[in-house]
Amino acid sequence: IADVEQYMTALISVVIEQTIFSHYPSLCEEIQEIVAEMFEDSHRKCLEHLELQLEMEDDLFTLNDYYAENVKKIFEKLDIVPNENPTDEQAEDIMYRITCNRTIDVKTQPQFNRSSRPSESPLLFRTVKELQVRLWAYRKVVHKRFCDQMALFVRHQFPRRISEHLNTELQDRLLGADFMKLMAEPADQALRRQELEESIVRLESSLQELKRL
């Protein structure tokens, strides 16, 4: 978010410098202030959207076929048969062992060695590995969901907002009683213009004198 904001701010500055606005410093400063306020508001909305998305991810949910495809693919690759429903006693024992003795890594794709399967508790092995596969596959779905949604929201709040709403913001904020003050020449530029006009008058007078001679 910060990188996009910084890039858009620099881009707007370059655009202003290469237009007629560059001759009116007060107007340039006002335009840049309006743009900065828009970007600050966009940044805040992006962070709010990110917090909301994180909050929604507290609930495990997806209708994406990508999840089921990933689970099936890993099951087939690792030769894992999805677990049948265990008895209450087996389920309690499995959850206890997972809680106390197992660490489930959902950041990397599961890699299992068949020779390491504990022969004394095959049900536990299948349950732990199946759970690891499902968590890893769900993590992939969440990662893709974050990448797409945040990128779309940032695009909507920065480039698209500027292209669709900046003109309206400038009209609402600039076209008023103070607009002519913003268009006024800076003091140093007005002085240079006055000196140039006086030089032109003196040059014309000198030319007239030369013609009479």
Side-chain angles (χ1 to χ4, degrees):
I1 297 172
D3 290 342
V4 173
E5 181 179 5
Q6 182 179 1
Y7 171 78
M8 291 297 298
T9 301
L11 180 62
I12 292 294
S13 297
V14 171
V15 171
I16 292 175
E17 291 173 359
Q18 295 181 354
T19 62
I20 193 174
F21 295 122
S22 61
H23 299 292
Y24 305 97
S26 297
L27 183 59
C28 285
E29 291 177 4
E30 187 67 19
I31 293 175
Q32 288 176 337
E33 183 178 343
I34 292 172
V35 172
E37 291 178 3
M38 292 180 65
F39 285 167
E40 183 179 353
D41 183 61
S42 295
H43 193 132
R44 177 183 57 80
K45 289 181 178 178
C46 286
L47 292 179
E48 289 176 353
H49 181 79
L50 177 59
E51 291 178 0
L52 177 61
Q53 193 169 348
L54 289 171
E55 182 180 338
M56 290 189 298
E57 292 298 341
D58 287 343
D59 299 322
L60 301 181
F61 176 80
T62 182
L63 296 176
N64 197 327
D65 292 339
Y66 180 73
Y67 166 75
E69 292 172 1
N70 263 318
V71 171
K72 182 179 179 181
K73 186 187 303 182
I74 301 300
F75 277 172
E76 292 176 351
K77 179 179 178 180
L78 303 176
D79 192 23
I80 298 177
V81 179
N83 230 349
E84 62 274 7
N85 295 329
T87 64
D88 292 341
E89 182 179 352
Q90 289 173 326
E92 183 178 353
D93 177 67
I94 289 170
M95 293 309 298
Y96 174 79
R97 290 171 182 255
I98 292 175
T99 303
C100 297
N101 303 317
R102 302 285 177 171
T103 299
I104 298 178
D105 181 9
V106 299
K107 295 183 179 180
T108 57
Q109 181 174 335
Q111 301 290 337
F112 309 137
N113 184 356
R114 295 185 187 182
S115 62
S116 65
R117 295 185 177 186
S119 58
E120 69 276 6
S121 56
L123 180 59
L124 172 62
F125 175 84
R126 293 206 313 273
T127 302
V128 171
K129 299 313 178 185
E130 180 182 346
L131 179 59
Q132 186 175 1
V133 169
R134 293 188 182 279
L135 287 175
W136 179 83
Y138 184 76
R139 174 190 170 275
K140 296 278 287 183
V141 171
V142 172
H143 181 264
K144 287 180 175 292
R145 191 154 57 198
F146 262 92
C147 291
D148 287 343
Q149 290 189 8
M150 281 309 303
L152 282 172
F153 197 81
V154 170
R155 179 180 181 275
H156 176 79
Q157 284 297 320
F158 285 97
R160 186 173 176 181
R161 184 178 182 186
I162 285 296
S163 63
E164 294 182 357
H165 301 292
L166 179 59
N167 189 43
T168 303
E169 288 284 340
L170 293 178
Q171 290 180 6
D172 293 343
R173 297 274 296 273
L174 295 179
L175 297 182
D178 295 333
F179 182 70
M180 295 309 297
K181 294 181 181 179
L182 296 173
M183 294 289 290
E185 285 182 309
D188 58 339
Q189 182 175 328
L191 179 61
R192 289 197 302 270
R193 180 177 55 80
Q194 182 179 355
E195 292 175 349
L196 180 60
E197 290 175 349
E198 292 174 353
S199 298
I200 293 173
V201 171
R202 288 195 298 269
L203 179 60
E204 290 177 345
S205 177
S206 299
L207 288 174
Q208 292 296 330
E209 290 292 331
L210 288 174
K211 287 181 179 180
R212 281 198 298 268
L213 294 175

